[in-house]
Protein backbone atom coordinates (compact mmCIF):
# COMPACT_ATOMS: atom_id res chain seq x y z
CA UNK A 1 0.00 0.00 0.00
CA UNK A 2 1.34 3.48 -0.79
CA UNK A 3 2.09 5.53 2.34
CA UNK A 4 -0.73 7.81 3.44
CA UNK A 5 -0.08 11.46 2.55
CA UNK A 6 0.86 13.61 5.55
CA UNK A 7 -2.20 15.39 6.96
CA UNK A 8 -2.16 19.17 6.71
CA UNK A 9 -1.03 21.13 9.76
CA UNK A 10 -4.52 22.63 9.86
CA UNK A 11 -7.70 21.72 8.07
CA UNK A 12 -10.84 23.76 8.67
CA UNK A 13 -14.15 22.84 7.10
CA UNK A 14 -17.42 24.75 7.17
CA UNK A 15 -16.53 26.72 10.29
CA UNK A 16 -19.36 28.88 11.54
CA UNK A 17 -19.71 31.05 14.57
CA UNK A 18 -22.70 33.03 15.66
CA UNK A 19 -22.15 34.91 18.91
CA UNK A 20 -24.94 35.19 21.46
CA UNK A 21 -25.63 38.75 20.32
CA UNK A 22 -26.51 37.37 16.87
CA UNK A 23 -23.27 38.45 15.14
CA UNK A 24 -22.40 35.87 12.50
CA UNK A 25 -18.64 36.16 12.87
CA UNK A 26 -17.82 33.14 10.66
CA UNK A 27 -20.07 32.04 7.84
CA UNK A 28 -18.48 28.84 6.57
CA UNK A 29 -14.70 29.09 6.64
CA UNK A 30 -12.63 26.43 4.81
CA UNK A 31 -8.87 26.51 5.13
CA UNK A 32 -5.97 24.14 4.54
CA UNK A 33 -2.51 24.91 5.85
CA UNK A 34 0.19 22.50 4.69
CA UNK A 35 2.87 21.25 7.04
CA UNK A 36 5.87 23.57 7.19
CA UNK A 37 3.90 26.48 5.74
CA UNK A 38 4.27 30.11 6.76
CA UNK A 39 0.71 31.27 6.44
CA UNK A 40 -0.88 34.68 6.82
CA UNK A 41 -4.50 35.23 7.78
CA UNK A 42 -5.38 38.77 6.80
CA UNK A 43 -8.50 40.83 6.97
CA UNK A 44 -9.94 44.10 8.18
CA UNK A 45 -11.05 44.60 11.77
CA UNK A 46 -14.02 42.46 12.65
CA UNK A 47 -13.43 40.08 9.71
CA UNK A 48 -13.26 36.99 11.94
CA UNK A 49 -9.53 36.36 12.37
CA UNK A 50 -9.50 36.18 16.17
CA UNK A 51 -12.67 34.12 16.21
CA UNK A 52 -11.09 31.58 13.85
CA UNK A 53 -7.94 31.36 15.96
CA UNK A 54 -9.99 31.23 19.15
CA UNK A 55 -11.90 28.22 17.86
CA UNK A 56 -8.76 26.45 16.61
CA UNK A 57 -7.20 26.87 20.06
CA UNK A 58 -10.42 25.83 21.85
CA UNK A 59 -10.89 29.20 23.54
CA UNK A 60 -14.08 29.94 21.63
CA UNK A 61 -16.91 27.48 20.94
CA UNK A 62 -17.87 26.92 17.34
CA UNK A 63 -21.43 26.90 16.04
CA UNK A 64 -20.64 24.40 13.27
CA UNK A 65 -17.75 22.93 11.32
CA UNK A 66 -14.71 20.76 11.87
CA UNK A 67 -11.04 21.37 12.59
CA UNK A 68 -8.12 18.99 12.40
CA UNK A 69 -4.58 19.75 13.51
CA UNK A 70 -2.11 17.32 11.93
CA UNK A 71 -5.05 14.99 11.49
CA UNK A 72 -6.20 15.29 15.12
CA UNK A 73 -9.80 16.44 15.46
CA UNK A 74 -9.93 19.31 17.96
CA UNK A 75 -13.38 18.30 19.18
CA UNK A 76 -12.76 14.57 19.58
CA UNK A 77 -9.31 14.97 21.08
CA UNK A 78 -8.94 18.53 22.39
CA UNK A 79 -5.94 17.61 24.60
CA UNK A 80 -4.08 15.93 21.74
CA UNK A 81 -4.74 18.86 19.44
CA UNK A 82 -3.70 21.41 22.07
CA UNK A 83 -0.31 19.76 22.51
CA UNK A 84 0.37 20.31 18.82
CA UNK A 85 -0.35 24.04 18.96
CA UNK A 86 1.57 26.96 20.47
CA UNK A 87 -0.30 30.25 20.70
CA UNK A 88 1.03 33.77 21.05
CA UNK A 89 -1.92 36.01 21.86
CA UNK A 90 -2.18 39.60 20.81
CA UNK A 91 -2.33 41.10 24.29
CA UNK A 92 0.54 40.79 26.75
CA UNK A 93 -0.76 38.22 29.20
CA UNK A 94 2.35 37.56 31.27
CA UNK A 95 2.42 37.49 35.02
CA UNK A 96 4.53 40.63 35.46
CA UNK A 97 5.71 39.55 38.90
CA UNK A 98 7.25 36.29 37.80
CA UNK A 99 10.61 35.55 36.26
CA UNK A 100 10.99 34.44 32.64
CA UNK A 101 12.50 31.04 33.49
CA UNK A 102 9.63 30.30 35.83
CA UNK A 103 6.98 31.59 33.41
CA UNK A 104 8.20 29.40 30.57
CA UNK A 105 8.87 26.30 32.70
CA UNK A 106 5.46 26.61 34.33
CA UNK A 107 3.82 26.62 30.90
CA UNK A 108 5.57 23.32 30.12
CA UNK A 109 4.07 22.00 33.35
CA UNK A 110 0.57 22.63 31.97
CA UNK A 111 1.38 20.07 29.29
CA UNK A 112 2.39 17.47 31.87
CA UNK A 113 6.12 17.86 31.24
CA UNK A 114 8.05 16.93 34.43
CA UNK A 115 9.59 19.90 36.23
CA UNK A 116 13.24 19.00 35.52
CA UNK A 117 12.63 18.63 31.81
CA UNK A 118 10.41 21.70 31.85
CA UNK A 119 13.31 23.78 33.18
CA UNK A 120 15.66 22.40 30.56
CA UNK A 121 13.22 23.16 27.79
CA UNK A 122 12.52 26.62 29.22
CA UNK A 123 16.25 27.33 29.29
CA UNK A 124 16.57 26.27 25.65
CA UNK A 125 13.65 28.42 24.53
CA UNK A 126 14.90 31.45 26.46
CA UNK A 127 18.33 31.05 24.90
CA UNK A 128 16.78 30.79 21.46
CA UNK A 129 14.74 33.94 22.00
CA UNK A 130 17.78 35.84 23.32
CA UNK A 131 16.42 36.08 26.86
CA UNK A 132 18.80 33.84 28.79
CA UNK A 133 20.44 36.83 30.50
CA UNK A 134 17.03 37.97 31.67
CA UNK A 135 15.85 34.62 33.02
CA UNK A 136 15.71 35.73 36.64
CA UNK A 137 14.52 39.33 36.42
CA UNK A 138 10.90 40.28 36.97
CA UNK A 139 8.95 40.08 33.73
CA UNK A 140 7.65 43.60 34.27
CA UNK A 141 11.18 45.01 33.96
CA UNK A 142 11.57 43.63 30.42
CA UNK A 143 11.22 45.90 27.42
CA UNK A 144 8.19 45.57 25.15
CA UNK A 145 10.19 43.61 22.59
CA UNK A 146 11.53 41.23 25.24
CA UNK A 147 8.04 40.60 26.60
CA UNK A 148 6.92 39.58 23.15
CA UNK A 149 9.89 37.25 22.76
CA UNK A 150 9.07 35.81 26.16
CA UNK A 151 5.55 35.05 24.95
CA UNK A 152 7.03 33.27 21.93
CA UNK A 153 9.41 31.27 24.18
CA UNK A 154 6.44 30.30 26.34
CA UNK A 155 4.44 29.21 23.30
CA UNK A 156 7.31 27.01 22.07
CA UNK A 157 8.23 25.25 25.30
CA UNK A 158 6.13 22.11 24.75
CA UNK A 159 7.50 21.69 21.23
CA UNK A 160 4.34 22.52 19.22
CA UNK A 161 4.33 21.67 15.53
CA UNK A 162 2.04 24.59 14.74
CA UNK A 163 2.70 28.08 16.09
CA UNK A 164 -0.15 30.58 15.85
CA UNK A 165 0.51 34.26 16.45
CA UNK A 166 -2.25 36.84 16.66
CA UNK A 167 -0.88 40.20 15.47
CA UNK A 168 2.66 39.44 16.69
CA UNK A 169 4.02 42.92 16.04
CA UNK A 170 0.98 45.11 16.68
CA UNK A 171 2.07 48.44 18.06
CA UNK A 172 5.80 47.69 18.26
CA UNK A 173 8.46 49.81 16.64
CA UNK A 174 10.08 48.87 13.37
CA UNK A 175 13.29 47.53 14.94
CA UNK A 176 11.44 45.11 17.17
CA UNK A 177 9.22 44.16 14.28
CA UNK A 178 12.18 43.24 12.11
CA UNK A 179 13.86 41.31 14.93
CA UNK A 180 10.61 39.40 15.49
CA UNK A 181 10.41 38.60 11.78
CA UNK A 182 13.89 37.10 11.91
CA UNK A 183 12.98 34.93 14.86
CA UNK A 184 9.79 33.75 13.19
CA UNK A 185 11.71 32.88 10.04
CA UNK A 186 14.13 30.82 12.12
CA UNK A 187 11.30 29.04 13.90
CA UNK A 188 9.67 28.21 10.58
CA UNK A 189 13.00 27.06 9.11
CA UNK A 190 13.34 24.67 12.05
CA UNK A 191 10.21 22.87 10.80
CA UNK A 192 7.41 24.54 12.76
CA UNK A 193 4.36 25.52 10.74
CA UNK A 194 3.43 29.14 11.41
CA UNK A 195 0.11 30.92 11.04
CA UNK A 196 -0.09 34.58 11.86
CA UNK A 197 -2.72 37.23 11.67
CA UNK A 198 -1.56 40.69 10.87
CA UNK A 199 -2.86 43.92 9.53
CA UNK A 200 0.64 44.97 8.53
CA UNK A 201 0.60 43.90 4.93
CA UNK A 202 4.32 44.43 4.66
CA UNK A 203 4.68 41.77 7.35
CA UNK A 204 2.59 39.30 5.37
CA UNK A 205 4.41 40.08 2.16
CA UNK A 206 7.78 39.63 3.84
CA UNK A 207 7.07 36.46 5.79
CA UNK A 208 4.14 34.50 4.45
CA UNK A 209 4.39 32.12 1.53
CA UNK A 210 0.64 31.76 1.47
CA UNK A 211 -2.08 34.21 2.38
CA UNK A 212 -5.77 33.90 3.08
CA UNK A 213 -7.87 37.03 3.19
CA UNK A 214 -10.96 36.85 5.33
CA UNK A 215 -13.71 39.39 5.08
CA UNK A 216 -17.03 39.42 6.92
CA UNK A 217 -16.62 35.84 8.06
CA UNK A 218 -15.70 34.40 4.67
CA UNK A 219 -12.41 33.57 2.97
CA UNK A 220 -12.27 35.80 -0.11
CA UNK A 221 -8.78 34.78 -1.26
CA UNK A 222 -6.51 31.87 -0.41
CA UNK A 223 -3.41 31.62 -2.53
CA UNK A 224 0.36 31.86 -2.55
CA UNK A 225 1.70 35.33 -1.94
CA UNK A 226 3.32 35.63 -5.35
CA UNK A 227 0.16 34.85 -7.32
CA UNK A 228 -1.77 37.18 -5.07
CA UNK A 229 0.58 40.00 -5.98
CA UNK A 230 0.46 39.08 -9.64
CA UNK A 231 -3.25 39.76 -9.62
CA UNK A 232 -2.42 43.41 -9.59
CA UNK A 233 -2.55 44.60 -13.17
CA UNK A 234 -1.17 48.02 -12.36
CA UNK A 235 0.99 49.76 -9.83
CA UNK A 236 0.53 53.34 -8.76
CA UNK A 237 3.54 55.64 -8.73
CA UNK A 238 3.83 59.12 -7.34
CA UNK A 239 6.15 61.49 -9.20
CA UNK A 240 7.45 64.71 -7.69
CA UNK A 241 8.18 67.34 -10.36
CA UNK A 242 11.26 69.54 -9.95
CA UNK A 243 9.07 72.61 -10.55
CA UNK A 244 5.37 72.84 -9.83
CA UNK A 245 3.23 72.11 -12.86
CA UNK A 246 0.00 73.93 -13.60
CA UNK A 247 -1.49 71.33 -15.82
CA UNK A 248 -1.36 67.58 -16.08
CA UNK A 249 0.69 66.42 -19.06
CA UNK A 250 -1.13 64.42 -21.69
CA UNK A 251 -0.44 60.80 -20.70
CA UNK A 252 -3.45 58.76 -21.80
CA UNK A 253 -1.76 55.41 -21.07
CA UNK A 254 -0.94 56.34 -17.51
CA UNK A 255 -4.18 57.89 -16.22
CA UNK A 256 -2.33 60.76 -14.52
CA UNK A 257 -3.82 62.74 -11.62
CA UNK A 258 -2.47 65.90 -10.05
CA UNK A 259 -2.43 65.67 -6.26
CA UNK A 260 -3.00 68.50 -3.84
CA UNK A 261 0.71 68.58 -2.91
CA UNK A 262 1.71 69.12 -6.58
CA UNK A 263 2.88 65.59 -7.19
CA UNK A 264 1.54 63.47 -10.06
CA UNK A 265 0.02 60.05 -9.59
CA UNK A 266 0.23 57.62 -12.50
CA UNK A 267 -0.97 54.09 -13.15
CA UNK A 268 1.67 51.85 -14.61
CA UNK A 269 0.95 48.45 -16.17
CA UNK A 270 2.96 45.77 -14.41
CA UNK A 271 5.86 44.48 -16.42
CA UNK A 272 5.84 47.31 -18.96
CA UNK A 273 8.68 49.81 -19.28
CA UNK A 274 8.69 53.12 -17.47
CA UNK A 275 10.89 54.70 -20.15
CA UNK A 276 7.93 55.71 -22.27
CA UNK A 277 6.44 57.59 -19.34
CA UNK A 278 9.65 59.53 -18.81
CA UNK A 279 10.02 60.27 -22.53
CA UNK A 280 6.53 61.75 -22.68
CA UNK A 281 7.17 63.78 -19.56
CA UNK A 282 10.44 65.00 -20.97
CA UNK A 283 8.76 66.10 -24.20
CA UNK A 284 6.15 67.94 -22.17
CA UNK A 285 8.96 69.74 -20.33
CA UNK A 286 8.18 68.12 -16.98
CA UNK A 287 11.29 67.18 -15.03
CA UNK A 288 10.92 64.66 -12.24
CA UNK A 289 12.92 64.94 -9.03
CA UNK A 290 11.80 61.72 -7.38
CA UNK A 291 9.40 58.86 -7.71
CA UNK A 292 7.91 56.30 -5.31
CA UNK A 293 5.39 53.52 -5.13
CA UNK A 294 2.14 54.86 -3.79
CA UNK A 295 1.48 51.88 -1.56
CA UNK A 296 2.78 48.53 -0.72
CA UNK A 297 1.43 46.32 -3.50
CA UNK A 298 -0.33 43.94 -1.18
CA UNK A 299 -1.96 46.91 0.48
CA UNK A 300 -3.49 47.95 -2.83
CA UNK A 301 -4.82 44.50 -3.46
CA UNK A 302 -6.16 44.19 0.04
CA UNK A 303 -8.02 47.46 -0.21
CA UNK A 304 -9.49 46.37 -3.50
CA UNK A 305 -10.67 43.06 -2.08
CA UNK A 306 -12.28 44.70 0.91
CA UNK A 307 -13.45 47.79 -0.90
CA UNK A 308 -16.63 48.03 1.09
CA UNK A 309 -14.52 48.88 4.15
CA UNK A 310 -13.20 52.28 3.14
CA UNK A 311 -12.27 53.07 6.74
CA UNK A 312 -9.75 50.23 6.83
CA UNK A 313 -6.29 51.41 6.00
CA UNK A 314 -3.46 49.23 7.19
P1 LIG B 1 -10.98 40.20 13.78
O1 LIG B 1 -10.09 39.38 14.66
O2 LIG B 1 -10.80 39.88 12.32
O3 LIG B 1 -10.88 41.67 14.04
P2 LIG B 1 -13.15 39.06 15.31
O4 LIG B 1 -13.06 37.59 15.12
O5 LIG B 1 -12.61 39.62 16.59
O6 LIG B 1 -12.49 39.80 14.06
O7 LIG B 1 -14.68 39.52 15.20
C1 LIG B 1 -15.56 39.07 14.20
C2 LIG B 1 -16.96 39.63 14.48
O8 LIG B 1 -17.46 39.01 15.67
C3 LIG B 1 -16.99 41.12 14.76
O9 LIG B 1 -18.19 41.62 14.23
C4 LIG B 1 -16.97 41.21 16.26
O10 LIG B 1 -17.62 42.38 16.69
C5 LIG B 1 -17.75 39.98 16.65
N1 LIG B 1 -17.32 39.44 17.96
C6 LIG B 1 -16.06 39.07 18.29
N2 LIG B 1 -16.02 38.59 19.55
C7 LIG B 1 -17.28 38.66 20.04
C8 LIG B 1 -17.90 38.33 21.27
N3 LIG B 1 -17.20 37.79 22.29
N4 LIG B 1 -19.21 38.53 21.41
C9 LIG B 1 -19.94 39.06 20.41
N5 LIG B 1 -19.44 39.41 19.19
C10 LIG B 1 -18.11 39.21 19.00
Amino acid sequence: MPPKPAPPALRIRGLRKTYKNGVEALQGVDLDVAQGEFYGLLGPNGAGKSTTIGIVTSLVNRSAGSIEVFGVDTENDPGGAKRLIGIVPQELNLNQFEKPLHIVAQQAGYYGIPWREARERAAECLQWMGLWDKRTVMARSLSGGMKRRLMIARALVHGPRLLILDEPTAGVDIEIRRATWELLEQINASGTTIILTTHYLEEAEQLCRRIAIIDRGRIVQDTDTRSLLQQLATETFVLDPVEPIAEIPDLPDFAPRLRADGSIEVEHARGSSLNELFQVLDRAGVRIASMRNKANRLEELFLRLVEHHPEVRP
Side-chain angles (χ1 to χ4, degrees), residues 19 21 23 25 43-52:
Y19 283 104
N21 58 3
V23 171
N45 273 335
K49 303 180 294 294
S50 302
T51 301
T52 305

Side-chain angles (χ1 to χ4, degrees), residues 169-182:
T169 63
V172 305
D173 66 34
I174 191 71
E175 241 173 88
I176 295 176
R177 180 167 306 152
R178 287 188 193 284
T180 309
W181 290 354
E182 259 176 52

Side-chain angles (χ1 to χ4, degrees), residues 20-35:
K20 286 202 181 90
N21 58 3
V23 171
E24 292 183 28
L26 301 180
Q27 307 190 38
V29 165
D30 296 329
L31 211 60
D32 281 291
V33 179
Q35 294 196 16

